[in-house]
Amino acid sequence: MLGPIGFGAPWLLLGLAALPLLWWLLRALPPVPRRVRFPGTVLLAGLVDPEPVARRTPWWLLMLRLLAVAAAVLAFAAPIWRPVADPAPENALLIVMDAGATAAPGWAAARSRAIAAAEGAMSRGAPVALLLADGQQTAALNFSADDSLPAALRAAQPQPWSAAYPPDPAPLLEHAPAAGLGTLWLSDGLDHPNRAAWLTALAARGTVRVVPPASPPHVLRMTRDGHPPGFEVQATTPTAPDILALGPDPQGIPRELARLTPGPAQAEAGITRRPVTADLPPELLGRVTRFQLDGIESAAAVVLGDDRLRRPVVAVVGPGPSADEGQALLSPRHFILSALDGPARAIEAGLSDAIAAKPDVIVILDRAGLPAAGPLAEWIAAGGMLIRFAGPRMAAAPDLALEPLLPVALRPGGRDMGGALSWGEPRAIAPFDPDGPFAGLTVPQDVTVRAQLMAEPSPDLSARSIAVLSDGTPLVTRAGYGQGQLVLFHSTANADWSSLPISGLFVQMLQRLIDGAGREIADTPSLTEGGSWTPLRLLDGFGRWNDSPDPVPVAAEVLAQGASPQVPAGIYASGERVVAVNAGAPIARADWPGAQIEAAGAPGLPLQAWLLLLAALALMLDLLGSAALRGGVQRRGGLAAMLALALLIAPQDLRAQEGLIPDLLLPYDPLPQTESDAPETTQLDPDLVRAAAHFALAYVLTGDPELDELSRAGLTGLSQTLAARTTVEPSAPVGVDLETADLSLLAFLYWPVGDRQPLPSAQAYLRLNRFLRGGGMILFDSRDADLAGSSADASDDLRRLAGPLDMPPLQIVPRDHVLTRSFYLLDRLPGRFDGGEVWVAAEAAPEGGAAVNDGVSPVVIGGNAWAEAWAVDQRGLPLFAVGSGFDGERQREIAHRFGVNLIMYVLTGNYKSDQIHVPALLQRLQREQLR
C-alpha cells in the first residue's frame, strides 16, 4: 500500500523508472517540421539558425506524453483507493460462511471474497480452514495450506434450509491455535442457532472480521393455509419485492399466474415484516405450484404449493340410504352441492368413507344418532369442522335432547311459524354480529325462516349463536370440540323450512365457514400422524428444482421439524397426501459485539478505469497538440470525434463507481438497477463470455452425465470440422444450465432429448423464448431416428420439453430449403441414423407482417442423433460407428456436411435464398450503366 492507495500488481510500478529515459528521448526528438511552399526560401540557402527551436519538443506536449505513459503504468498496477487493510500476520485463518438459504442472493460475492482471502493467507504460509454454517459440520476443522480449500470453496453451495452452527465450538477448534487465529466471517446478516457461542470462542482466539452480505436477505413464509392463504415477507430493508404466483396455465405451460403486492410494513428489531393475502379465485389458486419473491433467487424466498393451497374438500353425507328425497332438484343434497360449487370441492360419500377421505369439512344433512365417540369424533377433535343441517328426521328423533356432536342442546320437536298451528309469522334474519364469522354480509329482506329446531336455554347460548332470527332465537350455532368445530344450521338445507338456501346469502355463509376451517400454521408442518414421507422434488439453495435421484423416506416426526439437512426444502408425499417443506422461517438481525465489521459495499474503490481514461484523454490531447503544431486543420475534426467517442465509451467501465461520474456523461440506460440487482447476479459465466467473444457451440446440460458428455464430444467434432473447412473457428463447446445461463450471449444451442431430463422452470422458458425471438436457434435431437412417429412432436419427452416454447408452425424441410444449400448441396440430413424427418419453421410469413428473424427458422427438430455422428475423442477419432463399411463413413461425412450447413445457416441466415435475385440485380446494374 502507498498511503490510502493499494495495488493489485505492485511490481508493474517499476515501469515508472523508465519515465526519465522517456523524458530524454521525447525532449531530444523534434516534432515533425511544418512544410510551407515559398519560392523565396532559395535565398535562405546556407544560412544557419543560432537558436534552432525545432530541435526541442514543447514542454506542455512533453508533459502530456509523460502523463499518458505514467497513467497507463499505474492503471496496469491495479490501484485501489482505500482498500481493505491487510490483517496483521496471523498464525492461521478460519473462514466462516453462512450457508443457509438466506445466503443465496449474495453467495457469489461471498465465495469470491473467501477464495481471495484463502489464497492470500496460503501465499504467506498460514494454514486455512473452512466452516460452512449449514448444520452438517461435525468433525474437527482441518487447517491446511494446500489447494484443497479453494477447490472446496468453489464447489460450495448454499443449502435449502436455514443456516446453523455446531452446538459446541471446542471440539471443532481442536486443531486451531489458541492465539493468533484470524477469522473472516462472511455473514448473511441474520442470527442463527449457536452463532453467539462461536463468536465468543473465536474472538477469544484472535481478530474476527465480519463481511456483511452484498444483498439483503429476504424471506417468504406462509402464515395461514386454507383459502385464501396468508404470507409474510421478512427483510432487513424497508422495501420488499412483489410475490409471483407461478404455475401452469390451462394449456399446461408454466408461467406467471398472478402478482401479489405486499401490505404495509411493520418494523421491529431491525426486521421489516409485510403481510400478504393471496386472495385469488379458487380455480387459479389450485394451479399455483409456488409463490416466489420477484427477483430473489433463494429457497427462503419460495413457498411451494401443496394440499394447503388447493380448494378445501367438503364431504357431503346424506340423511341415509333409506331416505326418499322425492324430486332431486328440491333435495337438500342438491342445494348444498350447488352452493359448494366454486368455493370448495365437494364429494358425496357415506360417513365412514368421508372420514377416510380426510376432508377439510364434513356436512351431514338431517341425520341424528351420531356416535359420541369413534372415528368422527376423533376427526373433529384433530381439527376438522362438522356442519350439520336440521330437518324433519332430526326433529322427530326421540333422543334429540341427548344427541351428541352438537354445539348446543336441542328441544325435541320443532318450531313452525306461519302455518295453521304456527306460533307467529315467519321470521327474518337479524343483522350479523360485526365480530362474528358472517360480519359484513348483507341479509336480503326477502329471506325468512318458517321452521327451525329450538335450542335449550343455557348461559353460553348467546356466545355460541353466530346467526339469529329477528326474535333472538338462534339460526346457526357453533362450538369448539378439541381442535375442531361443530356448526349447526337450525333449519333445513333446502327451501322446506326457509328461503335462505335459495338466496346468495346461503353460499356466502357456507364459504365463510369453510374458510374458517383453515388454521393458523406453525413455522413447520403440523403432522400428527406417523408414517414416512418420500421426497418427490427438492429445491437447491437458490430455489431451483433439484430432483432427488435416490429418494430416502423421512419419518413424520423428522418432517414435522421443518427444513433441515435431513429434510431439504421440497415436495414430500405419503400415499395420496402431499406436503411442502419450505425453507422460510422467522428471522432476526445479528449483532457482532467485539468483531470488526467491514463497511457495506465493495471493498475499496478501483482506480484502474479512471487512470485508463486519463491516459486516453492525454493521448487525444497530444494528437490535437501535434496536429496544431503541424497546422493540420483538416484532421482536427476527426480527432475531436475520437475524443468524444472516448468520453462516451470510457464511462462504461466506470459504472460500478456510482456517484463519481456526472449523469450527462453516462449513456442512457432504459433499465435502471433495482435493489435486487446485486453485483453477483450480473456476473457473467466466463464460458458464456468466451462463447460470445469467440464463437462457440453450446449444448443444454440435461443432468445426465453420459448424455452431456456425448453432446460435448459431438459439438467438439463439429467445431473441428468447421475450423478445417470454413473460416469459422469455434472455441471449445459450452455446457449451458438453462436455469442460470444468459442465453443472449449465444447464437446456437444443441438440445438432446433425454427421458430423465427434468422440465425447466418457468423463468428458464421465458429466457428461452427471448433467445428464440432474439435470433437464436435450438436444434432439438430426440435421438430416436423418428421411430416414435412421423410428426415433429412424436416423442413424449420432446413434446414435454418443447411444448412451453413459443414456436412458429413447423414443416418438413423442403428440398430447396436454405439448410440444404447454405454451404454444401444436400438432399438428405442424416446423423448416426438416416431417414428421419427434419422439421423447421414454415416459410410463410405471418399475415400483416414480415417473417420473424428474416425468415430464419428458430428451431430445427429431428431424431437422427447428429451428436453421435459428430462425436470425436481426444485424438480426433470418431467415438461411434455409423452404418457399416464405406456407406457408413459416407453417411458420417454427410452428417458433418449437414452440421456445417446448419452453423452457416445460423451465422448467415437466408443469404443463399437472396441469390435468386441475382439476375434481376444484374439487369438493373446493366440498365444503369447504359444510362
Side-chain angles (χ1 to χ4, degrees):
M1 292 184 61
L2 184 61
I5 301 178
F7 295 92
W11 291 104
L12 292 178
L13 295 178
L14 294 177
L16 297 176
L19 289 180
L21 178 61
L22 184 62
W23 171 277
W24 182 80
L25 289 176
L26 294 177
R27 188 171 181 272
L29 184 64
V32 178
R34 184 171 54 183
R35 182 172 299 178
V36 179
R37 295 182 179 275
F38 180 62
T41 55
V42 70
L43 301 177
L44 304 178
L47 297 179
V48 178
D49 189 357
E51 296 181 359
V53 179
R55 295 181 182 178
R56 297 288 184 268
T57 301
W59 67 268
W60 55 270
L61 193 61
L62 183 61
M63 292 301 297
L64 283 175
R65 295 174 180 176
L66 292 177
L67 178 63
V69 175
V73 172
L74 291 173
F76 291 129
I80 299 177
W81 178 261
R82 296 189 183 278
V84 176
D86 292 333
E90 300 159 336
N91 298 333
L93 174 65
L94 173 62
I95 298 176
V96 181
M97 294 185 68
D98 287 346
T102 51
W107 186 257
R111 183 170 55 184
S112 299
R113 179 67 187 281
I115 293 174
E119 293 176 346
M122 289 187 298
S123 65
R124 299 191 300 267
V128 184
L130 172 64
L131 172 61
L132 292 176
D134 56 4
Q136 301 184 89
Q137 182 72 35
T138 57
L141 298 175
N142 180 27
F143 287 83
S144 62
D146 54 18
D147 295 335
S148 60
L149 191 135
L153 280 171
R154 292 184 176 92
Q157 296 291 337
Q159 301 299 333
W161 55 79
S162 298
Y165 295 88
D168 187 5
L172 277 74
L173 296 176
E174 178 183 356
H175 305 303
L181 174 63
T183 302
L184 179 65
W185 199 313
L186 299 158
S187 171
D188 60 4
L190 303 177
D191 191 13
H192 300 292
N194 307 315
R195 182 194 61 86
W198 274 87
L199 178 60
T200 302
L202 294 177
R205 295 173 180 258
T207 304
V208 177
R209 290 174 292 135
V210 179
V211 181
S215 298
H218 290 78
V219 173
L220 177 66
R221 54 186 294 263
M222 181 184 289
T223 57
R224 182 185 184 277
D225 63 359
H227 181 79
F231 302 92
E232 183 181 66
V233 181
Q234 304 174 84
T236 57
T237 58
T239 59
D242 293 341
I243 300 176
L244 304 181
L246 305 176
D249 60 10
Q251 287 74 35
I253 301 175
R255 64 179 70 249
E256 176 184 326
L257 301 179
R259 181 180 290 263
L260 308 176
T261 302
Q266 300 176 359
E268 181 181 359
I271 302 298
T272 302
R273 293 177 171 84
R274 293 175 178 268
V276 183
T277 300
D279 193 5
L280 303 176
E283 295 79 7
L284 183 63
L285 186 63
R287 294 204 307 267
V288 175
T289 58
R290 67 160 60 187
F291 290 93
Q292 180 173 349
L293 292 178
D294 188 13
I296 307 296
E297 295 184 356
S298 168
V302 174
V303 171
L304 299 176
D306 57 6
D307 291 342
R308 293 173 292 178
L309 296 183
R310 59 177 171 78
R311 288 193 299 172
V313 177
V314 179
V316 179
V317 180
S322 61
D324 182 11
E325 295 293 344
Q327 298 183 10
L329 297 181
L330 300 179
S331 65
R333 181 187 62 84
H334 172 71
F335 280 85
I336 286 293
L337 294 178
S338 300
L340 295 176
D341 186 16
R345 182 166 65 91
I347 59 174
E348 295 184 79
L351 184 57
S352 58
D353 293 336
I355 299 173
K358 296 181 173 61
D360 300 282
V361 179
I362 293 180
V363 176
I364 297 182
L365 305 174
D366 190 15
R367 182 168 176 176
L370 296 179
L376 178 60
E378 295 174 357
W379 174 83
I380 301 172
M385 174 182 283
L386 174 64
I387 301 178
R388 302 182 66 175
F389 283 85
R393 293 174 181 83
M394 184 180 290
D399 298 330
L400 183 60
L402 303 177
E403 177 72 22
L405 301 183
L406 287 175
V408 295
L410 298 178
R411 290 181 179 180
R415 178 184 181 188
D416 187 10
M417 296 168 289
L421 301 177
S422 66
W423 294 351
E425 296 296 328
R427 295 292 188 265
I429 300 177
F432 296 119
D433 189 345
D435 297 329
F438 305 137
L441 298 182
T442 302
V443 179
Q445 297 180 357
D446 57 347
V447 174
T448 58
V449 177
R450 298 185 299 274
Q452 66 176 142
L453 290 181
M454 297 296 294
E456 290 285 356
S458 64
D460 57 353
L461 179 59
S462 176
R464 297 188 178 191
S465 300
I466 58 177
V468 297
L469 299 180
S470 57
D471 60 359
T473 56
L475 175 64
V476 183
T477 53
R478 182 179 64 175
Y481 189 89
Q483 297 182 7
Q485 301 178 60
L486 296 171
V487 180
L488 172 65
F489 278 76
H490 292 241
S491 184
T492 57
N494 61 358
D496 290 346
W497 288 12
S498 169
S499 60
L500 175 62
I502 61 176
S503 67
L505 178 62
F506 186 64
V507 178
Q508 295 174 343
M509 294 174 68
L510 283 178
Q511 184 171 353
R512 289 287 184 90
L513 290 174
I514 294 173
D515 291 345
R519 63 188 183 280
E520 297 291 330
I521 64 173
D523 301 332
T524 57
S526 177
L527 303 173
T528 58
E529 299 182 5
S532 61
W533 295 76
T534 304
L536 298 181
R537 302 187 72 184
L538 300 177
L539 294 178
D540 63 5
F542 296 100
R544 302 171 302 199
W545 285 119
N546 183 20
D547 288 346
S548 178
D550 299 316
V552 178
V554 179
E557 296 77 8
V558 179
L559 189 73
Q561 298 176 3
S564 64
Q566 295 76 29
V567 186
I571 300 294
Y572 293 78
S574 177
E576 297 183 357
R577 292 191 300 166
V578 177
V579 66
V581 177
N582 298 304
I587 61 175
R589 184 185 288 270
D591 55 348
W592 304 96
Q596 299 178 3
I597 303 177
E598 291 185 1
L605 177 65
L607 301 178
Q608 186 176 36
W610 283 105
L611 291 172
L612 289 176
L613 176 62
L614 178 61
L617 292 176
L619 291 177
M620 292 296 177
L621 293 175
D622 175 79
L623 292 176
L624 289 174
S626 300
L629 291 178
R630 294 195 302 266
V633 179
Q634 67 276 10
R635 301 180 182 179
R636 295 177 187 172
L639 294 175
M642 294 174 62
L643 178 60
L645 182 61
L647 290 175
L648 290 176
I649 295 178
Q652 295 283 358
D653 296 331
L654 305 175
R655 276 193 182 275
Q657 305 172 19
E658 183 178 358
L660 299 180
I661 303 176
D663 293 339
L664 294 178
L665 293 180
L666 291 175
Y668 173 68
D669 187 359
L671 296 176
Q673 289 186 345
T674 62
E675 181 184 357
S676 61
D677 296 333
E680 71 278 3
T681 59
T682 59
Q683 292 181 354
L684 298 178
D685 188 344
D687 291 335
L688 294 179
V689 174
R690 171 177 57 82
H694 309 284
F695 175 71
L697 305 179
Y699 59 94
V700 174
L701 294 174
T702 62
D704 185 346
E706 295 182 0
L707 185 56
D708 294 341
E709 176 60 23
L710 171 61
S711 301
R712 187 203 61 78
L715 296 187
T716 299
L718 179 57
S719 299
Q720 295 176 359
T721 301
L722 288 168
R725 303 185 185 185
T726 69
T727 58
V728 180
E729 297 181 357
S731 57
V734 177
V736 172
D737 184 356
L738 297 179
E739 301 295 338
T740 59
D742 184 1
L743 302 180
S744 63
L745 302 176
L746 303 175
F748 172 77
L749 193 59
Y750 174 73
W751 193 336
V753 178
D755 54 354
R756 292 182 295 177
Q757 183 175 358
L759 189 69
S761 64
Q763 293 89 340
Y765 277 112
L766 291 176
R767 286 192 289 268
L768 284 168
N769 288 328
R770 286 195 296 266
F771 170 71
L772 296 178
R773 290 193 296 268
M777 175 186 287
I778 300 178
L779 172 61
F780 285 99
D781 191 354
S782 62
R783 305 179 300 112
D784 59 354
D786 200 20
L787 297 178
S790 59
S791 63
D793 58 352
S795 171
D796 292 337
D797 294 315
L798 176 61
R799 184 187 303 110
R800 176 175 58 89
L801 295 174
L805 294 176
D806 295 336
M807 293 190 299
L810 302 178
Q811 65 175 358
I812 299 177
V813 176
R815 296 182 60 87
D816 59 345
H817 194 271
V818 180
L819 194 57
T820 64
R821 51 193 173 91
S822 59
F823 195 86
Y824 291 102
L825 296 178
L826 302 176
D827 57 359
R828 58 194 180 100
L829 309 175
R832 191 181 185 188
F833 307 115
D834 194 5
E837 301 290 356
V838 181
W839 296 73
V840 295
E843 296 183 355
E847 297 181 3
V852 179
N853 295 337
D854 198 21
V856 177
S857 176
V859 293
V860 176
I861 300 177
N864 288 335
W866 289 289
E868 297 179 19
W870 301 332
V872 296
D873 58 13
Q874 296 180 353
R875 298 173 297 173
L877 300 178
L879 283 177
F880 299 93
V882 177
S884 61
F886 177 79
D887 293 338
E889 292 305 314
R890 177 62 180 173
Q891 180 175 329
R892 188 193 305 276
E893 170 63 22
I894 300 299
H896 278 276
R897 293 186 180 185
F898 163 71
V900 173
N901 277 19
L902 179 66
I903 301 305
M904 288 298 178
Y905 182 51
V906 171
L907 297 179
T908 62
N910 58 1
Y911 82 104
K912 282 288 185 179
S913 296
D914 294 338
Q915 291 185 351
I916 62 176
H917 304 293
V918 169
L921 294 176
L922 293 176
Q923 293 179 3
R924 180 176 179 181
L925 291 175
Q926 184 177 9
R927 288 195 302 269
E928 292 180 354
Q929 290 177 356
L930 293 178
R931 293 177 183 176

